[in-house]
Amino acid sequence: MRFDELVRSGGPVVTAEFPVVDTDMAALVRHADRLRGWADAVNVTDNTAAHAHASNVAVAVALRGLGLEPIMQVACRDKNRLALQADIVGAALHGVRAVCCLTGDDVTAGDEPQARRVFDLDGPQLIRVACALAEGRYLSGRAIDPAPELLVGAVENPGAPPYSHRVDRAAKKIRAGARFLQLQICYHPDRLAAFMAGAARAGLTSRAAFLPTICLVKGAGGLRFMNEKVPGISVPAETIDRVEKAADPSRAAYELALAQAGHALSLPGVRGLHLVDFRGGDAVPRLLSDLRISRRLTA
Amino acid sequence: MSQGPVTSPGPVTSPDPVTSPDPVTSPGTAGHRAVAAVEHAVKGPVFDCRMCGQCVLHSTGMTCPMTCPKTLRNGPCGGVREDGRCEVDPSMRCVWLRAFERSRRLPWRGHFTDLRPPVDNRLAGSSSWINLLTGRDRRTPPGWQP
Ligand code: SF4
């Protein structure tokens, strides 16, 4: 089933983060082959963590050519409204249907902190603009014929302050037109549970597919990195400690992800998962089988 | 190889109606600049106003969103630190956290979650007071339908 149809159908969804690539097309094909077996769609990042890489449009188009369903992330940090619209429409020309709208980390989070930050639009505005494109018009009002077929989504971080406002922010994104929300990895199960309960209460979970992120890391180092270096992610010291002091830290890291995934799937309104795999090997198929998620992909 | 015909940029939607050349309400005129100077003198010290010319303080807990390093109008971003400090500038508290807290004490707090349209960059430096009176601050591109 096409990813946009799957999201609209209400069935379970598993998405994955596509690893960053630069110029190695063979690596891109290898990653695509690995993910093809279990991901309904794969997120193509847009200069993730404010580091330059092969562009989101180029990678999304390549994956489309390889028969995968790309979710093209579009961030507000590097481009103004003209460039953002051009990217979405240009990718749609090649059959890229799903876009995920982000505000984006600041340039200071990356390796070129000297860069000018743009943020001409913000995340919710970009969602609205992408929906306008799907309705057949640019922000200026100029018609696009035929209108691109787009499924517009976004991200939200249930684990960042102000916690009690995050459901309202998700609601704003859904009002703007987001039909799926990939949730930032959250190492505080209570925050994710409160967020999902609020989203279900507000009637949001029937209007958009909520997909909490699960990160598969190799050990405590990965957790510490996220805690220290990734904006908006906090990993409790006890969690890092528990993995670090375990007899088999790699296994403990896997079990942490499995427990997080099981907890996320038990929450009301969660439609599936977004998986970020830093372990490689058979980690993801094993996770899905341990969670008893069967994959019937028809890509 | 032929270069092909020069393509037209497509149908152009009607340009913004030219603001009336009124000596006070038209941005850029001496009258407008004088009002903008007064506005800045009043709002600068109180709100750290950045003179975007399309004031939304009433719906953002009287906190200027242009002081957010990402200039987000619909914030807070996902990078707010655990202790409430800003992702970009850890020496300050997240502007949107402050906006959220202050907005809850206002009788019209419902507007906090409004979807605010993209900034019209042409209005930077002009007086939002005059733009409010003339309705110029509420004019959005035709494709923006909230
Ligand atoms: S943390 Fe707050 S003030 Fe800083 S960039 Fe994000 S929204 Fe703006």
Side-chain angles (χ1 to χ4, degrees):
Chain A
M1 197 186 289
R2 278 168 40 166
F3 181 64
D4 52 342
E5 290 167 359
L6 177 64
V7 166
R8 291 187 183 110
S9 76
V13 176
V14 176
T15 59
E17 191 109 325
F18 198 77
V20 289
V21 288
D22 295 308
T23 51
D24 188 346
M25 188 54 105
L28 182 142
V29 172
R30 250 192 337 272
H31 291 307
D33 286 342
R34 190 166 51 79
L35 293 169
R36 187 178 283 112
W38 55 264
D40 294 307
V42 289
N43 278 47
V44 175
T45 53
D46 182 6
N47 287 352
T48 189
H51 286 63
H53 289 289
S55 78
N56 53 349
V57 177
V59 177
V61 168
L63 293 183
R64 194 78 195 91
L66 293 168
L68 269 78
E69 277 272 9
I71 298 173
M72 187 172 84
Q73 289 189 349
V74 187
C76 299
R77 178 194 53 238
D78 303 330
K79 292 176 177 173
N80 73 5
R81 60 193 83 178
L82 274 88
L84 294 171
Q85 294 181 91
D87 281 356
I88 296 172
V89 171
L93 183 64
H94 293 272
V96 175
R97 287 180 288 249
V99 292
C100 180
C101 303
L102 289 74
T103 300
D105 299 336
D106 187 61
V107 292
T108 49
D111 60 354
E112 305 202 37
Q114 309 85 348
R116 180 195 291 262
R117 59 175 73 91
V118 180
F119 299 108
D120 184 33
L121 300 178
D122 61 26
Q125 291 165 350
L126 177 58
I127 296 168
R128 195 67 213 95
V129 169
C131 290
L133 299 175
E135 289 157 13
R137 60 175 194 280
Y138 289 99
L139 179 58
S140 69
R142 185 160 40 89
I144 308 171
D145 187 19
E149 260 189 275
L150 295 175
L151 174 74
V152 179
V155 297
E156 187 46 61
N157 187 352
Y163 313 114
S164 60
H165 174 59
R166 292 289 164 183
V167 172
D168 280 343
R169 193 161 154 75
K172 179 187 276 200
K173 290 175 176 176
I174 291 169
R175 272 202 313 279
R179 291 296 163 261
F180 64 92
L181 278 186
Q182 294 174 310
L183 307 180
Q184 179 63 286
I185 175 78
C186 181
Y187 286 91
H188 299 263
D190 52 323
R191 291 180 196 167
L192 180 62
F195 174 85
M196 284 311 307
R201 228 177 5 252
L204 303 179
T205 52
S206 57
R207 296 173 62 197
F210 282 70
L211 307 173
T213 294
I214 301 299
C215 285
L216 285 147
V217 294
K218 290 182 184 148
L223 298 175
R224 196 170 291 119
F225 176 83
M226 279 192 275
N227 185 48
E228 285 163 14
K229 293 281 185 301
V230 185
I233 300 183
S234 95
V235 189
E238 312 85 78
T239 309
I240 301 178
D241 262 16
R242 201 168 64 232
V243 170
E244 188 150 54
K245 303 214 170 102
D248 181 349
S250 168
R251 188 192 163 106
Y254 174 80
E255 276 164 6
L256 171 68
L258 179 63
Q260 281 179 306
H263 171 255
L265 290 170
S266 75
L267 299 172
V270 167
R271 276 279 296 283
L273 299 173
H274 175 64
L275 301 176
V276 184
D277 178 20
F278 297 110
R279 289 174 71 100
D282 70 338
V284 171
R286 182 169 147 217
L287 182 84
L288 293 173
S289 123
D290 285 350
L291 291 166
R292 301 198 162 59
I293 296 178
S294 60
R295 303 275 67 210
R296 284 172 283 110
L297 301 180
T298 51
Chain B
M1 201 167 76
S2 128
Q3 291 284 303
V6 177
T7 52
S8 100
V12 177
T13 52
S14 58
D16 286 338
V18 179
T19 25
S20 69
D22 183 283
V24 176
T25 57
S26 299
T29 61
H32 192 120
R33 279 206 303 274
V35 178
V38 175
E39 179 175 341
H40 188 58
V42 174
K43 282 162 67 181
V46 186
F47 302 113
D48 195 11
C49 165
R50 303 292 164 94
M51 296 298 286
C52 68
Q54 46 223 292
C55 190
V56 290
L57 279 172
H58 66 283
S59 72
T60 57
M62 306 310 285
T63 306
C64 177
M66 303 316 269
T67 60
C68 155
K70 298 183 187 174
T71 60
L72 305 180
R73 305 282 275 194
N74 292 288
C77 76
V80 187
R81 292 167 196 255
E82 196 67 0
D83 57 6
R85 285 177 305 144
C86 168
E87 164 196 334
V88 181
D89 179 357
S91 73
M92 70 180 211
R93 188 166 166 75
C94 166
V95 170
W96 276 98
L97 205 53
R98 210 164 55 215
F100 172 66
E101 285 155 2
R102 286 186 184 163
S103 75
R104 294 210 289 189
R105 294 197 291 270
L106 296 173
W108 58 87
R109 59 182 157 269
H111 286 289
F112 186 71
T113 52
D114 288 354
L115 178 61
R116 283 168 282 274
V119 169
D120 184 337
N121 288 289
R122 293 172 299 180
L123 295 182
S126 68
S127 165
S128 76
W129 293 342
I130 293 174
N131 297 334
L132 176 73
L133 288 174
T134 60
R136 178 65 186 82
D137 64 342
R138 291 182 297 287
R139 204 190 299 150
T140 52
W144 177 263
Q145 293 170 14

